[in-house]
Amino acid sequence: LFVLPPSFIYPLSVSLIPAITQSRARRDENAATRLTASALRITALLAFPMGAGLTVLAGPILHLLYPAVPETAEAAAYHLTVLGIASIFVCLMVATNGILQAHGRERVPIWTLLCGGALKIVTNYLMVGNPDMGIRGAPVGTLYSYALIVVLNMIAVYRCLNGQVDFFRCLWRPALCAAVMALGARSVFSLLSGHVSQNLATVTAIALAVLVYAVLALALGAVTSDDLKHFPNGQKWAQRLHLR
């Protein structure tokens, strides 16, 4: 489940990163900057709700998928709660790695990955080795590791583009939509779980979360027609959704 959200980001890299490279080859830096911002926006648009959903509904999702081992599902809920947030950083890492490679900074992701790996080793040693924390420290170390990689990657992207990409502008709308969605999903599950089966409450909460997030994303303009035009049939979807 932790690696599921990033699997949706790799096709994004395949579609957008070559376009960035082509723009740079034509010396069209403005187009390369727009494509970079689009890559970050779409990554956030996909990653934030998936990660937030895994975090707030970790236990219910595990019980839904593994009904034969409820004790194991309950024990794993803490780990998925933390790893749900970490999956957001994995998605951003995939996108920023591709962006850096497209801009000719292919060595930077190697060094940032080494930094993240070193932090993971240290945090595992300190947390997992602590009897009070134990195995619960492993997902925390994973979260810290990927968060560090993303911060270093974004600093490198910012310098590479001379500060022309506004990270806050790219990320705040998806983050806000995901936060509202997560609050709504958890609230609906809590309300329904006392009246219907837990599995039905989980499925209903997920369905409502998808609907709420889609409506908010369109209402706040989290994605634009320019973002979609680089994908197959993207322009048609932009017209159907009346995106500007």
Side-chain angles (χ1 to χ4, degrees):
L1 292 175
F2 163 61
V3 299
L4 181 61
S7 67
F8 291 93
I9 305 303
Y10 288 106
L12 167 68
S13 298
V14 171
S15 298
L16 277 181
I17 303 310
I20 296 175
T21 305
Q22 292 173 3
S23 298
R24 293 190 67 251
R26 297 194 305 268
R27 299 184 182 279
D28 189 349
E29 297 300 329
N30 290 332
T33 300
R34 289 198 306 272
L35 288 168
T36 298
S38 292
L40 290 173
R41 277 195 300 270
I42 297 175
T43 298
L45 191 71
L46 296 174
F48 284 7
M50 291 188 288
L54 289 176
T55 294
V56 299
L57 295 177
I61 289 174
L62 288 171
H63 282 287
L64 175 66
L65 296 178
Y66 304 104
V69 284
E71 296 84 3
T72 304
E74 187 63 31
Y78 168 82
H79 301 272
L80 186 58
T81 298
V82 178
L83 290 175
I85 302 173
S87 70
I88 297 175
F89 288 103
V90 177
C91 293
L92 292 173
M93 181 197 71
V94 171
T96 51
N97 280 353
I99 291 170
L100 288 168
Q101 292 170 10
H103 284 278
R105 302 293 195 277
E106 65 279 352
R107 294 184 180 181
V108 173
I110 298 175
W111 291 109
T112 59
L113 181 62
L114 290 174
C115 292
L119 180 60
K120 171 68 172 173
I121 293 172
V122 172
T123 52
N124 273 7
Y125 178 79
L126 295 176
M127 293 184 179
V128 179
N130 185 343
D132 295 330
M133 194 72 173
I135 194 61
R136 287 174 170 249
V140 177
T142 299
L143 172 60
Y144 290 168
S145 172
Y146 284 111
L148 175 63
I149 293 172
V150 169
V151 170
L152 295 176
N153 278 1
M154 286 191 167
I155 292 174
V157 171
Y158 185 84
R159 291 180 176 178
C160 180
L161 296 176
N162 298 318
Q164 294 180 356
V165 174
D166 188 341
F167 292 121
F168 178 78
R169 187 174 181 181
C170 293
L171 302 179
W172 78 267
R173 289 184 178 88
L176 177 61
C177 295
V180 175
M181 178 214 74
L183 178 61
R186 189 65 202 183
S187 300
V188 169
F189 174 80
S190 298
L191 290 173
L192 292 180
S193 59
H195 304 282
V196 299
S197 68
Q198 179 170 303
N199 287 347
L200 179 58
T202 302
V203 173
T204 302
I206 293 173
L208 183 63
V210 172
L211 178 62
V212 168
Y213 186 77
V215 171
L216 285 175
L218 292 175
L220 292 179
V223 63
T224 67
S225 61
D226 187 59
D227 295 334
L228 294 181
K229 73 179 183 181
H230 306 288
F231 297 93
N233 300 318
Q235 201 62 40
K236 293 181 180 179
W237 279 105
Q239 293 175 356
R240 291 175 183 176
L241 296 174
H242 305 288
L243 298 179
R244 293 183 291 178

